[in-house]
Amino acid sequence: MLKINWWKKLSGVVKISGSKNAALPIIWACLLLRGKITLNNVPKIRDVETFLDIISEIWAKYSWKGNTLILDTKNMESNKLSYEKIKKVRASIFLLSPLLMHFWKINIPFPWGCNIWKRPIDSHLNSLKKIGFDYKYDWENIKISGKLKKGEKIINSGFSVSATENSLIANVLRKWKTILKNVAIEPHVMNLVDLLRKAWADIKIRYSHEIIIEWVEELSSDFEFDIISDYIESGTFMVLAALASEKYLDIENARVCDLYSFIEKLKESGVKIKDLWWDTLRVYRCENIKAVDIQTNIFPGFPTDLQSPFTILQTQANGMSKVHEILFEWRLNWFVELEKMWVKLAILNPHEAIIFGPNNLKPAKVTSWDLRAWMSMVIAWLISEWKTRVTQIEYIYRWYENFVEKLKKLWADIEDSSKATIHSS
Ligand code: EPU
């Protein structure tokens, strides 16, 4: 159980962790490299541990040194993989290409949208079909098998992050040329491209959301690579600073270059931000928040994963502000929980809602399947002048590294009695 005691004036410095959305596909891509790879800045979170557990089943070795992960995929064998372990992975769609490139035949649980939103997978399946893989699926499973076809192929990634990542992994060693159209260019996708390029993959990016992959005979290993910091975590702490700091919070490793649209909206809301030095931002407390509308979009637009923290800011704004979530159909589900906390709002349709602020947040028994919404509710509890007791807190540990420790370091009065932490050593 997490105990959060009301309203403390936060201060200090927070260091942002490595990005989970970059680390997960990159760990899987390392299976193609067949050697030793040292990954720096890997977040120690539950999903990474689950991935490593699966990888070790096919005899890949790994060890940790702080947040550095040393992977050895040299003597990997085509061992059998336990379906039960794969089932533990929240978004099994991310395993599609890495496992296929290893086994050529897989059976994975159908990714039923993680209970948060509809998650179509047409782009993934169509891309794999084009390069030689047939699939069948039912209510529970997807079965895919085949062999890589040679030749030039044009593949539509539908601006999907995971479909772009799956296609990159499936095609870097495919003969001869692949043209990926409508690719996602989110920072974590580019981090994966950088890893593959460092391993001598021939990948070119065109300005028109297009990636060209030319065949290389093999990929190299025995190098070090840095996972980017999590710009979604940075954005979340920026909102926290605006609402709950005594004067300001300093945010280290903030990835300013990835947050342009988000920072613009914060500034429009009246939040003062100072660029201290390379990727360290000082975000000041804002007493008079202006109501500002947001519309989520693909990168470099306003990130869907920062919709929920920004909404908490909107609940404290003076006036009416609109949230337009264009990417996912059910991602405003958690607004029902906000209503329980006495936020005045109107849900217009599955994609749009209006918040009437400012609101005095009240404690309530809330829940969510969306990790970003969970973390945003932690901000809500920190700024509400009540004592809050929260269960199901292990959910956040799956994605946010040391989040209780980080908040405590900023002098938040927060206690986790579940001992659900994964400590970095
Ligand atoms: N889409 C299709 N067809 C497809 C695939 C996607 O229509 O075959 C649509 C989706 O319905 C959605 C849009 O494309 O409207 C974007 O979905 P995308 O496939 O890009 O999402 P994803 O790859 O499943 C990743 C992140 C999410 C993040 C989205 C959007 C990871 C592990 N997950 O998901 O992150 O919200 O991209 O940026 O990288 C999170 O971190 O909390 C999280 C959910």
Side-chain angles (χ1 to χ4, degrees):
M1 179 187 286
L2 188 69
K3 295 178 189 170
I4 304 177
N5 287 344
W6 71 83
W7 193 259
K8 287 278 169 175
K9 308 226 159 164
L10 308 186
S11 64
V13 184
V14 61
K15 193 170 166 201
I16 300 304
S17 296
S19 155
K20 83 157 174 77
N21 289 351
L24 297 177
I26 282 175
I27 290 172
W28 279 101
C30 286
L31 296 188
L32 296 176
L33 309 189
R34 296 305 174 108
K36 203 167 144 194
I37 306 103
T38 304
L39 298 176
N40 298 319
N41 201 29
V42 181
K44 279 189 164 173
I45 48 173
R46 290 269 154 84
D47 267 20
V48 168
E49 299 281 3
T50 312
F51 267 36
L52 292 173
D53 193 27
I54 298 175
I55 281 178
S56 60
E57 270 205 323
I58 45 180
W59 300 1
K61 294 194 188 100
Y62 71 90
S63 59
W64 286 99
K65 235 187 207 171
N67 283 90
T68 296
L69 174 68
I70 300 135
L71 274 173
D72 188 350
T73 56
K74 201 169 182 177
N75 297 317
M76 227 167 51
E77 295 280 331
S78 288
N79 209 354
K80 238 184 150 200
L81 207 55
S82 117
Y83 180 80
E84 286 312 306
K85 282 200 178 160
I86 297 182
K87 248 170 99 175
K88 281 205 228 158
V89 178
R90 177 177 173 256
S92 51
I93 198 72
F94 288 94
L95 311 183
L96 213 55
S97 286
L99 289 182
L100 266 182
M101 294 307 111
H102 191 71
F103 291 107
W104 305 111
K105 187 176 173 182
I106 53 160
N107 177 14
I108 61 166
F110 197 96
W112 273 115
C114 328
N115 299 331
I116 318 171
W117 49 71
K118 282 190 188 171
R119 193 169 237 166
I121 54 165
D122 49 301
S123 299
H124 301 75
L125 298 179
N126 293 340
S127 311
L128 286 166
K129 199 171 169 81
K130 270 215 165 147
I131 56 170
F133 293 91
D134 281 324
Y135 57 85
K136 274 194 209 146
Y137 58 85
D138 57 26
W139 193 251
E140 282 189 4
N141 297 307
I142 316 176
K143 288 183 182 155
I144 312 184
S145 59
K147 277 239 151 72
L148 279 178
K149 272 191 201 158
K150 290 179 188 167
E152 183 171 318
K153 302 282 175 205
I154 298 176
I155 291 170
N156 183 359
S157 298
F159 299 104
S160 155
V161 166
S162 45
T164 306
E165 290 168 344
N166 268 320
S167 283
L168 279 163
I169 292 171
N171 288 284
V172 274
L173 290 170
R174 197 186 67 80
K175 287 180 183 168
W176 304 96
K177 182 176 181 177
T178 315
I179 301 165
L180 302 181
K181 298 266 188 193
N182 299 336
V183 294
I185 52 162
E186 267 65 5
H188 30 288
V189 180
M190 290 304 114
N191 205 200
L192 172 64
V193 168
D194 286 342
L195 171 100
L196 294 169
R197 277 177 167 169
K198 196 155 187 186
W200 300 351
D202 187 344
I203 301 173
K204 291 179 196 75
I205 299 169
R206 293 214 179 128
Y207 68 93
S208 52
H209 283 265
E210 199 172 277
I211 289 180
I212 318 284
I213 309 170
E214 302 269 5
W215 174 70
V216 289
E217 197 165 347
E218 57 179 357
L219 296 171
S220 76
S221 53
D222 292 313
F223 59 81
E224 265 190 54
F225 185 78
D226 296 340
I227 304 287
I228 55 168
S229 300
D230 193 333
Y231 68 109
I232 304 300
E233 192 191 2
S234 305
T236 308
F237 275 100
M238 288 169 84
V239 170
L240 186 71
L243 293 177
S245 65
E246 187 168 20
K247 284 188 185 143
Y248 55 78
L249 295 182
D250 288 343
I251 300 166
E252 271 181 23
N253 296 342
R255 297 272 317 166
V256 181
C257 56
D258 299 334
L259 281 165
Y260 181 75
S261 305
F262 178 77
I263 289 175
E264 281 293 289
K265 284 289 169 187
L266 273 187
K267 285 183 176 166
E268 234 183 275
S269 310
V271 179
K272 231 178 94 197
I273 300 167
K274 198 166 151 190
D275 212 336
L276 290 187
W277 52 85
W278 184 243
D279 267 352
T280 296
L281 289 180
R282 177 163 290 174
V283 182
Y284 291 84
R285 180 190 176 85
C286 185
E287 293 291 355
N288 192 11
I289 300 164
K290 290 185 205 123
V292 163
D293 298 345
I294 56 162
Q295 183 185 67
T296 64
N297 214 328
I298 56 172
F299 191 80
F302 190 101
T304 169
D305 296 334
L306 282 173
Q307 170 255 108
S308 53
F310 199 87
T311 298
I312 301 296
L313 190 83
Q314 288 168 314
T315 66
Q316 304 307 302
N318 296 303
M320 200 171 85
S321 40
K322 191 170 166 192
V323 181
H324 189 177
E325 166 60 59
I326 68 164
L327 265 83
F328 293 111
E329 209 158 289
W330 297 335
R331 215 172 188 181
L332 299 185
N333 269 0
W334 75 291
F335 275 48
V336 178
E337 308 304 314
L338 281 178
E339 267 186 322
K340 290 183 197 162
M341 296 172 84
W342 287 33
V343 173
K344 294 182 280 308
L345 58 91
I347 300 172
L348 308 179
N349 59 55
H351 288 282
E352 289 172 292
I354 288 177
I355 316 271
F356 304 93
N359 290 270
N360 193 358
L361 303 175
K362 302 273 189 326
K365 210 170 171 196
V366 292
T367 188
S368 174
W369 292 104
D370 182 343
L371 75 134
R372 305 300 179 190
W374 251 123
M375 193 61 195
S376 305
M377 287 192 283
V378 171
I379 302 180
W381 298 319
L382 277 166
I383 62 166
S384 84
E385 296 182 19
W386 299 82
K387 287 187 183 187
T388 311
R389 301 285 177 270
V390 192
T391 52
Q392 285 183 300
I393 202 60
E394 59 288 344
Y395 202 70
I396 302 185
Y397 283 107
R398 287 179 66 174
W399 297 287
Y400 288 93
E401 187 181 51
N402 297 334
F403 90 97
V404 172
E405 284 81 353
K406 283 185 184 179
L407 288 171
K408 274 181 155 176
K409 226 181 127 207
L410 299 175
W411 304 102
D413 192 351
I414 183 168
E415 206 56 58
D416 177 16
S417 54
S418 69
K419 304 267 179 283
T421 332
I422 297 183
H423 291 282
S424 294
S425 54

